[in-house]
Amino acid sequence: MSLRNKIKSILRESFVNEQNDENFTLYKALKLWIRDSITLSELEGADDSISRVKFRHGHRGEAQIIFELTDDNEFFELLDIGEDDGYFARSVCDEHSSGWEFDDSYQVEQDFKEGYNIYGDLDADNNEMMTEIILLLTGKSVDINESSDKMGEYSVLLLNTFPDEMERIISEYTMCKRDEMNITAKESIISELNDFMSRIGFSIYQKFDYISTTPANLIMWYSKFGDKSLTFKELFEKIIEDSDTRYLGGWMDVQYEFRNHENFDSNEFNRVAGRQLESILDEIKSDGSDFEGYTKMIEEVTKKYNTNTWYQLPKDKNYLFLIDGFSLEDLKIKLKVRPEHKWHAGKTLHLSLDSFNKFLYQPELFGLSDLIPESIKEYFDPLHFLKKKFSKNDDRAIGGGLELVHKHGDEFQKLIDIIFKKAIKEKPIKHLKGLKVTSVWPQQLVNSDGIPNAIRWNLSMIPVVPDWFNYQKNSEFVNNTIEFEQIFRNYARYMGIEGNPPVSLKGNPNYSPDVLNNYISFNLIVKKFETF
C-alpha cells in the first residue's frame, strides 16, 4: 500500500471512530462536508477511490472531488466500452505514444499508383513543379487536381523513374496523414466522452485514470437510487447502468473516417515535397535536352489551344483536332485529327511548331480528305446517296428528287438504330426494343426574305415493343422515356445530326441537288411516340 493510501486509511479509521458509527459511508461524509462538520482531509479519507478534494471558497457542495481508478482499462470497462475501442482510444489519446498507425507507406503508395492522394495536398508552388515534371516526362500538359485515370499512369512513371525522391515524399505524406487522423480521432473521442460525462455530472480529470465530480452531484445520485451505503465505484456503476451508453464507442469500426484537413500539417509536407521535386527537376534538366525550345513550343501552342480539347480547324470546320501532347526528344506536337462526325476514322500527326501553324491554315496539305471513305459517306449520309442518283444536268426539281428518300428509308433507320443502341445502354427501359422509322419527309425552309434556302428532314417513329404491351397506358414506361428522350437527342446532337443548322441551298431557285452539303441535319418529330 502506498504512503498516501496508508495515510488515507488512517484518516478514515480515525474519522469513523470519531463519528462512532460502524456504518459510516461516503454519503454520510458528503452530508457532513456540506454542513461544514468535517475537514477536507477527513472527506478525502471517506472512500478508498478519492484521490484528493479541491476547495478554496464558495459553496461546499461545489468542491471538486477527484477519484482515482485502478487504470485506464477500468475507465472504459465502467463505461461499458469494448476492449478494442478502449485500446484504440488509449493509442490516439496518449501523448507519450506514437499513436495509431492507420495507413502505412505501402498503402499510401498503392493509392498513389491509382492517382489518389498527394496531388491534392501540394501547394501552388509544388503543384506547378509537379505539373512541369509530368510535362517534361510525358509531353502532356495536365491538371493534376483533376480526377483522371491518367494520373495513376503518371504516378507509376514517377515512382519508377525517381524512386528515392518519391519514397521520401510518400513517407512524409504518410506521417503527416497519420498525425492528422490521430489528432482528429483524439478530438472526436475526447469530445464524445466529455459530452457523456458532462451529462451525468462528471468530467475526465486526467486521461483516463482520474475522473471528478462535486459533492452535490454525488448526493443527487445517492438520493435517486436510495441506497446510501454504496461506495463510489458501486455508485458509479449504477450511474452508468442508468445512463444510455449505446452510442459510446464504435471508434475502431470507423477509424478511417477520422479525417480533418485542418489537422494536416500542410507546411511541413510541402516543405519536404518541394525539396524532392526540385531535386527531380534538376535531374531532368541536366541531361542536355533543348528545354528552352521545348518550353517555348509548349507556350506558343497552349496560349491559344488547351491540350486534350477538340477544336475545329480555322480553315476547314469539317475537321477537328486535339493536342495530345508534346515530344521533348524531337520537339514535335502530337495531334489527333478526325472529321466532325465522331464515327469517322481519324489519324495521328507529329508536327513541328512551323508545320503545326501550316496545318491550321493549309490542312489540305496533310491528307485529311482520305479520312472519310466513300463507303462511310454513303452509309451515314442519305443525301450523299441521293446526289449519286442525279447528274448536274438533271432538270428535275429538288422536291421531286427528295421523294426518292421514301424509297430508301433504311438509310435513316440505320442511323436511328445506331443512336438507339447508345441511348438504351445508358438508360435501359423494360420492353423497349428499338425505334422504327415509319415515314420520312423533307421540309423546305426559307430565309427572312421568304426565299427557300434550306431543307430539313423530318422523321416519324414508333417504339418497338412486344405486341401485348400497351406502352401508352404504362406510367412507368412513359416516365422512363422522358429521360431516355433527352439522352437520345444528346447522342444525336453529339453525332452532328440533330441541332445542326439546316443544309444551305445557297438560294438556288432550282434547288439542284449538287449544291447541297455532304451531310444534313434531322429534326426528330415523333407523332405516335407521345412521350418523346
Side-chain angles (χ1 to χ4, degrees):
M1 180 181 293
S2 68
L3 178 61
R4 181 177 180 80
N5 288 335
K6 286 182 180 179
I7 295 173
K8 285 169 59 179
S9 179
I10 293 171
L11 287 172
R12 189 173 188 279
E13 182 179 355
S14 173
F15 183 43
V16 170
N17 292 334
E18 184 177 312
Q19 298 300 320
N20 194 26
D21 187 349
E22 294 181 357
N23 296 319
F24 184 75
T25 62
L26 173 59
Y27 174 77
K28 291 183 178 179
L30 293 169
K31 298 288 285 187
L32 291 172
W33 166 259
I34 295 290
R35 298 171 188 161
D36 200 10
S37 297
I38 60 175
T39 66
L40 184 146
S41 297
E42 289 170 332
L43 177 59
E44 288 181 338
D47 190 279
D48 290 340
S49 295
I50 296 178
S51 172
R52 66 185 69 89
V53 178
K54 289 186 175 183
F55 179 73
R56 290 188 177 181
H57 53 76
H59 193 284
R60 294 171 72 88
E62 299 303 316
Q64 184 182 25
I65 305 178
I66 301 167
F67 294 92
E68 181 180 7
L69 305 178
T70 304
D71 53 31
D72 48 14
N73 286 327
E74 184 178 18
F75 173 80
F76 293 107
E77 290 173 1
L78 288 171
L79 266 61
D80 197 26
I81 292 174
E83 184 177 344
D84 288 344
D85 284 332
Y87 180 69
F88 178 78
R90 291 194 300 274
S91 297
V92 300
C93 294
D94 188 351
E95 298 175 355
H96 302 292
S97 77
S98 58
W100 194 257
E101 185 168 314
F102 294 101
D103 289 339
D104 56 17
S105 294
Y106 173 79
Q107 185 59 53
V108 172
E109 180 176 323
Q110 295 309 304
D111 290 342
F112 182 60
K113 287 180 178 179
E114 295 181 9
Y116 304 120
N117 66 41
I118 294 183
Y119 293 117
D121 287 300
L122 295 174
D123 61 21
D125 290 340
N126 287 337
N127 188 306
E128 185 177 341
M129 280 196 288
M130 180 66 84
T131 302
E132 184 179 1
I133 289 169
I134 293 175
L135 176 62
L136 294 174
L137 291 177
T138 68
K140 295 182 181 293
S141 178
V142 298
D143 181 353
I144 64 174
N145 292 317
E146 282 189 359
S147 177
S148 170
D149 294 339
K150 285 291 184 183
M151 295 312 300
E153 296 180 18
Y154 301 148
S155 297
V156 173
L157 177 62
L158 288 166
L159 288 166
N160 291 337
T161 311
F162 306 101
D164 294 339
E165 291 85 349
M166 293 309 302
E167 181 181 350
R168 295 186 188 102
I169 292 175
I170 288 175
S171 176
E172 183 63 29
Y173 182 84
T174 302
M175 288 189 290
C176 289
K177 206 64 183 176
R178 184 182 301 167
D179 289 345
E180 172 201 337
M181 297 179 73
N182 271 283
I183 293 170
T184 304
K186 177 181 177 181
E187 291 174 346
S188 178
I189 291 172
I190 293 299
S191 174
E192 183 177 326
L193 292 173
N194 282 340
D195 287 346
F196 174 79
M197 296 291 283
S198 177
R199 289 197 298 272
I200 61 175
F202 285 78
S203 62
I204 300 172
Y205 182 76
Q206 179 178 310
K207 303 187 295 289
F208 291 102
D209 300 325
Y210 296 87
I211 58 177
S212 66
T213 188
T214 63
N217 185 54
L218 291 173
I219 291 173
M220 182 274 292
W221 284 110
Y222 272 116
S223 299
K224 178 174 182 177
F225 298 129
D227 187 349
K228 311 297 173 53
S229 65
L230 299 172
T231 65
F232 166 71
K233 287 188 178 179
E234 292 171 339
L235 174 66
F236 192 73
E237 287 177 358
K238 292 187 71 67
I239 293 173
I240 298 302
E241 291 174 3
D242 187 68
S243 305
D244 188 359
T245 61
R246 289 176 301 166
Y247 302 106
L248 279 178
W251 306 309
M252 274 283 286
D253 294 336
V254 297
Q255 58 180 286
Y256 291 104
E257 296 181 14
F258 292 115
R259 301 178 187 273
N260 183 348
H261 200 265
E262 292 183 1
N263 293 327
F264 182 79
D265 193 345
S266 181
N267 291 333
E268 178 62 18
F269 167 67
N270 278 285
R271 184 185 66 80
V272 174
R275 191 164 59 241
Q276 300 306 316
L277 293 175
E278 287 176 357
S279 175
I280 291 174
L281 276 175
D282 289 343
E283 185 173 345
I284 293 175
K285 294 182 178 181
S286 64
D287 70 351
S289 299
D290 184 5
F291 285 98
E292 183 177 352
Y294 183 66
T295 55
K296 180 181 178 181
M297 174 184 66
I298 294 173
E299 289 173 0
E300 183 70 22
V301 173
T302 56
K303 70 182 180 182
K304 293 183 179 179
Y305 303 103
N306 295 323
T307 58
N308 300 313
T309 304
W310 288 101
Y311 294 95
Q312 288 182 324
L313 278 170
K315 290 298 183 181
D316 190 344
K317 300 186 184 302
N318 291 319
Y319 295 92
L320 305 178
F321 72 94
L322 175 145
I323 299 169
D324 193 39
F326 304 90
S327 172
L328 172 62
E329 184 177 355
D330 55 8
L331 299 185
K332 293 289 182 68
I333 303 162
K334 303 174 185 177
L335 295 178
K336 291 182 179 179
V337 186
R338 65 171 176 83
E340 185 178 13
H341 295 306
K342 178 72 173 179
W343 56 76
H344 293 321
K347 67 189 305 182
T348 300
L349 299 175
H350 291 75
L351 305 177
S352 66
L353 182 57
D354 289 340
S355 296
F356 173 70
N357 289 327
K358 185 179 294 185
F359 166 77
L360 293 177
Y361 297 98
Q362 294 179 287
E364 65 277 6
L365 301 178
F366 295 84
L368 302 188
S369 59
D370 60 355
L371 290 180
I372 310 180
E374 191 76 8
S375 59
I376 294 180
K377 289 182 180 180
E378 181 171 336
Y379 184 85
F380 287 104
D381 189 357
L383 184 60
H384 182 76
F385 174 83
L386 279 181
K387 291 167 68 175
K388 294 173 60 178
K389 299 292 184 181
F390 294 94
S391 69
K392 291 185 178 181
N393 299 322
D394 200 315
D395 57 359
R396 284 179 292 177
I398 186 69
L402 292 176
E403 291 177 358
L404 291 175
V405 175
H406 294 279
K407 300 178 182 179
H408 302 282
D410 288 346
E411 298 298 320
F412 290 96
Q413 186 65 61
K414 290 176 184 178
L415 200 56
I416 294 303
D417 290 344
I418 292 171
I419 303 171
F420 178 83
K421 287 179 182 178
K422 291 181 175 294
I424 201 66
K425 185 176 181 180
E426 183 171 338
K427 176 61 180 178
I429 299 179
K430 189 176 181 179
H431 301 313
L432 181 59
K433 306 302 181 183
L435 294 175
K436 182 179 179 181
V437 178
T438 56
S439 61
V440 181
W441 71 97
Q443 178 182 359
Q444 296 179 356
L445 302 179
V446 298
N447 61 20
S448 58
D449 297 324
I451 300 175
N453 69 342
I455 290 177
R456 179 172 64 195
W457 296 108
N458 298 289
L459 307 184
S460 179
M461 296 178 287
I462 59 173
V464 178
V465 297
D467 293 339
W468 54 265
F469 181 64
N470 188 344
Y471 65 87
Q472 291 177 320
K473 292 185 178 181
N474 187 295
S475 59
E476 181 182 359
F477 184 90
V478 171
N479 292 333
N480 285 336
T481 55
I482 295 175
E483 181 180 352
F484 178 82
E485 171 197 2
Q486 186 59 51
I487 295 172
F488 184 90
R489 292 187 181 279
N490 285 343
Y491 273 114
R493 188 174 296 111
Y494 178 70
M495 295 170 68
I497 299 170
E498 198 222 357
N500 280 358
V503 176
S504 173
L505 295 183
K506 301 182 180 179
N508 190 315
N510 294 320
Y511 310 113
S512 178
D514 60 288
V515 302
L516 296 176
N517 291 338
N518 288 336
Y519 57 89
I520 193 166
S521 63
F522 295 84
N523 181 31
L524 303 180
I525 299 176
V526 183
K527 291 186 175 182
K528 297 181 181 179
F529 198 4
E530 294 177 351
T531 59
F532 237 52

